[in-house]
């Protein structure tokens, strides 16, 4: 078997916020990819506006650096559990992985998942204990926890022998000994060249598995993957092997490799290279690009099952079509099915109604990012409350269960435990660091996590971090009843005025400001009672001879509660929807008419 000593392919994997993208920044800057006078900034790989706003990596991305005449292809992967499908589909391009672990938090639920995926694919790991410059870092204890994790997940004895580096990605430093004072990350580059195996070169004609897709307005669809065998050049005729072994011949237009943030056009790419090719307009992720003379398919990429579902429907509110560019069922359907081409963790199904589609994903954030992306593209639609996906196994109803990890202050243990017990969570681990901080782990049904994030922020007063990771499917534990109070619902259509909102605030907390356009059935606040209350916020004060200053009323108004998209999705009940447009996010009842809602309640009774 031959090897290419001039190249290394690595994936960077970790739990969310453990420093993957920051480490990639350091690798790019210290490999002199950029000019000396070029300000590359921070989080260089997170170019997506949503990634910048959310502060998390959403999409897996490719880059490359040159060190000592060796090209190191780097795959930056998401750390959030909702985007773990991105990790599953790109690891096949790598021969090794850099596992980052926070020097204080240690291995987290997603650390276990991504490491398990990497070891199952036979990747050679390098462990990096990151953020060693932080106060209270516990590198020795974290290393012991990592070793325990490897003992549990390793598939071969060779995987237990892994090198360990200590780093501060923010400072751009990596060392072999935590007591050393490093100056750069050259120790990391040297470790990669020494420990990550060079790509194997198999004999035979072209074979490449498509692991990612990109799109260019001029070049069209771009297929990204690693060449397993043979070579590829522009103007080559290739066979694209799709699902059900369907073969289509096409011509390659251009071939690109990666260096820094650039796509470099090349005349030829060989086995071991990670490339992007144009000309395959009908290719999808998981397809094999092969020689037409000897078409052989590689094993298709397998992705874990979705755990949460919600419906996307055509907006049928009185304000439909006013603010969006795309609002018909045909446009909505085309956009959702187009998303399936690149978002392998997603599932879309038609329903009995031609205007409603069932969308399944890995979690609330996974679906919320899709909603926000479509909203920014000009789509207008309505979405239902997320629900956990159940299935029947051996005659039993099974539901997804997740591992929930929480880091917070000791003072909040009681209220967190009490809140989660009502959501059918079971405490599995708890330990304190002796400085007033505590780490809690629970096993909780996915349905119990829906809507918990907002409660968590409130009960911990913002002094907590929560993360979750899918565990398995277990027998269903029964329903969890909503503890949310009723809603204040607009009884008329018009413009909300100060006088009407002042009356509404006597019955609860409002969600809108004076001057907001409302319609019948739209949620304008949260009631102080369990029942919904219909109220006319468009009602103005009657004119009389004795007038009081309206400024007095304005002073009395409490600022409205502003909900983000994720908060709005968590907030609604089963009989409510979120109306999404490029300009507004509104909450509404499924049945807009109060008389219809009353008839529906009588029918249930």
């Amino acid at each position: 078997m031959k090897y290419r000593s001039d190249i290394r392919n690595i994936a960077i994997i970790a739990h969310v916020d453990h420093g993957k993208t920051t480490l990639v920044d350091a690798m790019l800057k210290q490999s002199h990819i950029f000019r000396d006078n070029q300000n590359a900034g921070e989080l260089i790989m997170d170019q997506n506006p949503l990634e910048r706003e959310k502060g998390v990596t959403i999409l897996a991305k490719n880059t490359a650096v040159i060190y000592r005449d060796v090209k190191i292809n780097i795959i930056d992967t998401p750390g959030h559990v909702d985007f773990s499908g991105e990790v599953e589909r790109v690891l096949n391009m790598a021969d090794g992985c850099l596992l980052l672990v926070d020097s204080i938090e240690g291995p987290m639920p997603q650390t276990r998942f991504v490491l398990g995926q990497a070891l199952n694919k036979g990747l050679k790991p390098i462990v990096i204990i990151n953020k060693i410059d932080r106060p209270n870092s516990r590198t020795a204890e974290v290393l012991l926890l990592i070793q325990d994790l490897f003992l549990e997940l390793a598939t071969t004895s060779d995987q237990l022998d892994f090198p360990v580096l200590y780093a501060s990605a923010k400072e751009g430093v990596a060392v072999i000994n935590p007591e050393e004072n490093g100056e750069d990350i050259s120790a990391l580059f040297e470790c990669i060249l020494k420990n990550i195996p060079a790509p194997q070169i198999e004999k035979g004609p072209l074979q490449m598995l498509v692991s990612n897709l990109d799109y260019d307005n001029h070049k069209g669809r771009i297929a990204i993957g690693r060449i397993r065998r043979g070579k590829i050049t522009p103007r080559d005729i290739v066979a694209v092997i799709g699902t059900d072994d369907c073969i289509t011949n096409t011509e390659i237009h251009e071939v690109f490799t990666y260096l820094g943030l650039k796509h470099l056009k090349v005349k030829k790419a060989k086995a071991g290279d990670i490339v992007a090719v144009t000309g395959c307009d009908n290719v999808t992720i998981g397809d094999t690009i092969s020689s037409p003379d000897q078409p052989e398919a590689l094993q298709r990429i397998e992705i874990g099952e979705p755990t949460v579902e919600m419906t996307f429907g055509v907006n049928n509110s009185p304000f439909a079509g006013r603010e969006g560019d795309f609002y018909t069922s045909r446009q909505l359907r085309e956009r959702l099915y187009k998303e399936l081409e690149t978002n392998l963790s997603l599932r879309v199904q038609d329903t009995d109604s031609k205007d409603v589609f069932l969308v399944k994903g890995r979690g609330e954030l996974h679906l919320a990012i899709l909603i926000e992306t479509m909203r920014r593209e000009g789509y207008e639609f309505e979405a239902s409350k997320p629900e956990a996906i159940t299935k029947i196994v051996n005659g039993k109803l099974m539901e997804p269960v997740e591992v929930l990890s929480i880091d917070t202050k000791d003072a909040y243990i009681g209220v967190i435990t009490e809140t989660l017990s009502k959501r059918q969570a079971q405490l599995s681990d708890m330990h304190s660091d002796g400085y007033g901080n505590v780490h809690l782990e629970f096993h909780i049904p996915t349905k119990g996590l829906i809507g918990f994030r907002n409660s968590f922020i409130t009960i911990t007063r913002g002094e907590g971090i929560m993360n979750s990771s899918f565990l398995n499917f277990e027998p269903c534990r029964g329903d969890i009843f909503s503890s949310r109070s009723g809603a204040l619902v607009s009884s008329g259509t018009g413009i909300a005025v100060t006088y009407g909102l002042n009356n509404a605030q006597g019955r609860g907390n409002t969600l809108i400001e004076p001057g907001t356009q409302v319609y019948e059935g739209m949620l304008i606040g949260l009631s102080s009672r369990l029942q919904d209350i219909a109220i006319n916020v468009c009602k103005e004060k009657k004119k009389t001879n004795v007038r009081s200053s309206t400024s007095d009323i304005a002073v009395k108004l409490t600022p409205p509660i502003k909900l983000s998209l994720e908060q709005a999705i968590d907030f609604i009940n089963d009989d409510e929807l979120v109306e999404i447009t490029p300009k507004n996010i509104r909450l509404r009842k499924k049945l807009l008419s109060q008389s219809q809602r009353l008839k529906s309640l009588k029918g249930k009774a």
Side-chain angles (χ1 to χ4, degrees):
M1 186 71 70
K2 294 183 178 180
Y3 295 87
R4 281 192 63 180
S5 59
D6 64 332
I7 197 168
R8 299 290 189 276
N9 296 318
I10 61 168
I12 299 185
I13 58 176
H15 189 80
V16 65
D17 284 338
H18 280 201
K20 299 179 304 302
T21 306
T22 306
L23 182 65
V24 175
D25 286 356
M27 296 176 75
L28 289 170
K29 292 175 181 177
Q30 295 189 29
S31 61
H32 306 294
I33 289 295
F34 305 107
R35 300 187 310 271
D36 292 338
N37 63 345
Q38 184 176 356
N39 182 15
E42 297 180 349
L43 304 179
I44 301 170
M45 296 297 292
D46 286 349
Q47 298 296 319
N48 187 307
L50 277 176
E51 292 179 319
R52 292 277 182 176
E53 294 174 20
K54 303 290 182 184
V56 297
T57 300
I58 297 172
L59 303 172
K61 308 173 193 68
N62 295 81
T63 187
V65 300
I66 304 291
Y67 181 76
R68 283 177 42 188
D69 297 327
V70 176
K71 184 176 185 180
I72 302 175
N73 284 312
I74 303 169
I75 307 164
D76 185 21
T77 65
H80 198 286
V81 63
D82 285 17
F83 309 111
S84 53
E86 292 282 314
V87 181
E88 294 176 62
R89 68 180 172 86
V90 298
L91 287 182
N92 64 81
M93 292 192 286
D95 297 299
C97 64
L98 306 182
L99 176 69
L100 267 72
V101 182
D102 190 291
S103 63
I104 295 179
E105 295 182 358
M108 301 291 279
Q110 185 68 355
T111 311
R112 173 187 297 273
F113 172 82
V114 294
L115 179 60
Q117 290 287 323
L119 295 180
N120 287 334
K121 294 182 183 296
L123 302 190
K124 176 67 177 179
I126 295 176
V127 172
I128 302 174
I129 299 179
N130 193 26
K131 304 183 182 181
I132 59 172
D133 55 324
R134 293 177 62 184
N136 305 329
S137 64
R138 49 190 189 113
T139 54
E141 184 179 348
V142 166
L143 179 58
L144 291 175
L145 294 173
I146 294 171
Q147 290 171 341
D148 291 342
L149 188 60
F150 269 84
L151 282 170
E152 184 178 344
L153 299 177
T155 56
T156 64
S157 58
D158 293 342
Q159 293 174 337
L160 297 176
D161 182 20
F162 54 87
V164 180
L165 295 176
Y166 301 87
S168 170
K170 187 176 181 180
E171 300 296 329
V173 173
V175 294
I176 299 175
N177 190 322
E179 305 300 326
E180 296 179 21
N181 293 320
E183 297 180 355
D184 52 31
I185 59 168
S186 57
L188 173 58
F189 286 132
E190 293 291 344
C191 190
I192 291 172
L193 298 188
K194 180 181 178 181
N195 294 280
I196 301 299
Q200 294 183 358
I201 307 302
E202 301 179 23
K203 291 183 179 180
L206 173 66
Q207 199 177 37
M208 165 184 159
L209 183 67
V210 178
S211 301
N212 206 349
L213 290 178
D214 201 352
Y215 185 82
D216 184 271
N217 290 330
H218 302 290
K219 297 181 175 64
R221 186 172 297 187
I222 301 173
I224 301 170
R226 172 179 166 179
I227 302 176
R228 292 287 173 182
R229 200 172 66 188
K231 60 182 178 62
I232 190 168
T233 61
R235 304 305 174 189
D236 279 352
I237 302 299
V238 299
V240 178
I241 308 174
T243 54
D244 302 324
D245 293 330
C246 178
I247 299 176
T248 305
N249 287 350
T250 187
E251 180 182 309
I252 298 297
H253 293 169
E254 295 175 309
V255 180
F256 299 88
T257 59
Y258 294 89
L259 186 63
L261 302 181
K262 299 178 181 178
H263 287 185
L264 301 180
K265 186 186 296 187
V266 295
K267 295 181 179 180
K268 182 175 70 173
K270 301 181 293 183
D273 284 323
I274 294 177
V275 298
V277 299
T278 64
C280 305
D281 293 334
N282 297 319
V283 72
T284 60
I285 293 175
D287 290 354
T288 300
I289 297 177
S290 181
S291 167
D293 299 327
Q294 189 178 334
E296 295 178 359
L298 291 163
Q299 183 178 355
R300 295 191 71 87
I301 300 171
E302 296 182 359
I303 301 294
E305 299 179 56
T307 57
V308 174
E309 65 183 14
M310 61 194 303
T311 60
F312 287 30
V314 174
N315 185 16
N316 60 9
S317 81
F319 296 165
R322 292 187 183 183
E323 301 171 353
D325 299 322
F326 311 104
Y327 44 80
T328 66
S329 60
R330 177 184 61 82
Q331 292 168 331
L332 181 60
R333 186 180 190 277
E334 286 179 355
R335 177 62 181 84
L336 289 173
Y337 278 91
K338 182 181 178 182
E339 184 70 18
L340 296 178
E341 296 176 2
T342 56
N343 198 337
L344 294 193
S345 299
L346 200 71
R347 305 286 188 273
V348 178
Q349 296 177 6
D350 293 338
T351 65
D352 296 336
S353 171
K354 64 179 182 179
D355 294 334
V356 179
F357 307 94
L358 184 64
V359 183
K360 303 179 181 181
R362 279 289 183 91
E364 290 177 272
L365 185 59
H366 184 205
L367 297 176
I369 290 295
L370 172 61
I371 292 172
E372 181 63 25
T373 302
M374 292 175 61
R375 186 176 83 89
R376 296 186 182 195
E377 292 173 356
Y379 284 84
E380 181 179 317
F381 56 100
E382 57 191 26
S384 69
K385 183 179 181 64
E387 296 180 358
I389 297 174
T390 58
K391 62 181 182 179
I392 303 295
V393 178
N394 297 328
K396 292 184 179 181
L397 183 64
M398 309 289 281
E399 65 178 354
V401 175
E402 302 187 34
V403 176
L404 171 66
S405 63
I406 293 175
D407 291 280
T408 185
K409 301 292 184 182
D410 290 340
Y412 305 121
I413 294 176
V415 65
I416 289 173
T417 306
E418 180 182 358
T419 303
L420 286 174
S421 65
K422 297 177 182 178
R423 295 173 174 266
Q424 300 179 353
Q426 298 175 348
L427 182 65
S428 60
D429 186 27
M430 179 177 69
H431 60 263
S432 176
D433 65 355
Y435 296 95
N437 303 309
V438 65
H439 175 80
L440 305 167
E441 283 194 7
F442 296 86
H443 288 182
I444 181 171
T446 298
K447 65 189 176 189
L449 276 177
I450 295 175
F452 172 68
R453 192 173 300 274
N454 294 328
S455 300
F456 175 74
I457 294 172
T458 302
I459 61 181
T460 61
R461 301 179 183 179
E463 296 183 304
I465 300 173
M466 61 169 283
N467 293 286
S468 63
S469 179
F470 174 73
L471 181 62
N472 53 33
F473 278 84
E474 295 183 2
C476 190
R477 305 179 186 180
D479 295 330
I480 297 176
F481 297 98
S482 173
S483 59
R484 201 202 81 181
S485 58
L488 301 179
V489 186
S490 175
S491 61
T493 301
I495 298 177
V497 297
T498 303
Y499 181 74
L501 286 173
N502 185 52
N503 292 333
Q505 289 192 346
R507 295 169 172 82
N509 299 315
T510 53
L511 301 173
I512 61 172
E513 299 174 335
T516 303
Q517 288 189 320
V518 299
Y519 53 80
E520 183 182 4
M522 178 175 159
L523 271 60
I524 53 93
L526 184 64
S527 172
S528 56
R529 300 183 180 183
L530 293 178
Q531 298 79 21
D532 295 337
I533 299 177
I535 188 166
N536 184 7
V537 291
C538 305
K539 181 180 179 181
E540 297 185 4
K541 186 176 182 180
K542 292 183 179 180
K543 294 182 179 180
T544 65
N545 290 331
V546 181
R547 300 183 181 180
S548 61
S549 173
T550 55
S551 62
D552 293 339
I553 298 175
V555 171
K556 294 178 184 177
L557 283 182
T558 304
I561 300 171
K562 295 291 185 180
L563 298 179
S564 65
L565 174 60
E566 291 90 342
Q567 290 172 331
I569 292 172
D570 285 344
F571 178 83
I572 59 175
N573 277 333
D574 294 336
D575 64 336
E576 297 164 354
L577 298 168
V578 180
E579 179 186 348
I580 295 122
T581 76
K583 296 182 180 179
N584 288 291
I585 296 173
R586 304 184 183 95
L587 308 183
R588 50 161 286 186
K589 289 290 184 179
K590 288 183 178 179
L591 300 176
L592 297 179
S593 170
Q594 185 179 2
S595 59
Q596 288 180 327
R597 295 197 299 273
L598 291 174
K599 287 180 182 179
S600 175
L601 290 175
K602 289 181 180 179
K604 291 180 180 178

